[in-house]
Amino acid sequence: MSIENTIRKIMENDLFVETPADQIDLDGSLRNDYGLDSLGFVELRVQCEDQFGVQISDEDFTPEAFQSVHTVADLVRRLQGAAA
C-alpha cells in the first residue's frame, strides 16, 4: 500500500474523518477540507511515526508539512530516506 493510501486509512479509521479513505483528495487541505484540529494533527503525527517507522521532529511538524496527504507523504519519504 502506498504511503498516501496508508495516510488516508489513518484519517478514516483513527482520526474519524467522515470522508471515505478512497475519496480523500491527496491535495485537499487537512484542516479546511477534512476538519483536522490541533489534536487531530498531533494524532496524525503519532500514527505516521508508528506506521512508517520515522521520528517527526518539532522542526518538521509544520503547517506546511501537514497541509495535505501529499505533503505528509513527502515528509515521510524524506524522513525514511534520511534514516536509511
Side-chain angles (χ1 to χ4, degrees):
M1 183 181 302
S2 73
I3 291 173
E4 286 83 358
N5 285 338
T6 301
I7 293 168
R8 286 171 157 172
K9 286 287 187 196
I10 291 169
M11 289 172 63
E12 180 180 39
N13 298 329
D14 300 304
L15 306 180
F16 308 109
V17 169
E18 293 184 11
T19 306
D22 62 350
Q23 294 177 21
I24 292 175
D25 180 1
L26 295 178
D27 294 311
S29 169
L30 297 180
R31 180 178 302 279
N32 298 328
D33 296 337
Y34 299 107
L36 264 64
D37 58 11
S38 56
L39 189 60
F41 284 104
V42 169
E43 181 65 19
L44 180 58
R45 176 187 186 175
V46 170
Q47 291 291 334
C48 284
E49 288 177 336
D50 290 347
Q51 289 284 326
F52 303 113
V54 296
Q55 185 67 42
I56 299 172
S57 68
D58 290 341
E59 292 78 34
D60 287 323
F61 187 53
T62 64
E64 295 77 23
F66 280 75
Q67 179 68 33
S68 68
V69 172
H70 259 149
T71 60
V72 175
D74 288 345
L75 172 64
V76 168
R77 280 191 194 90
R78 182 171 61 78
L79 293 172
Q80 286 177 330

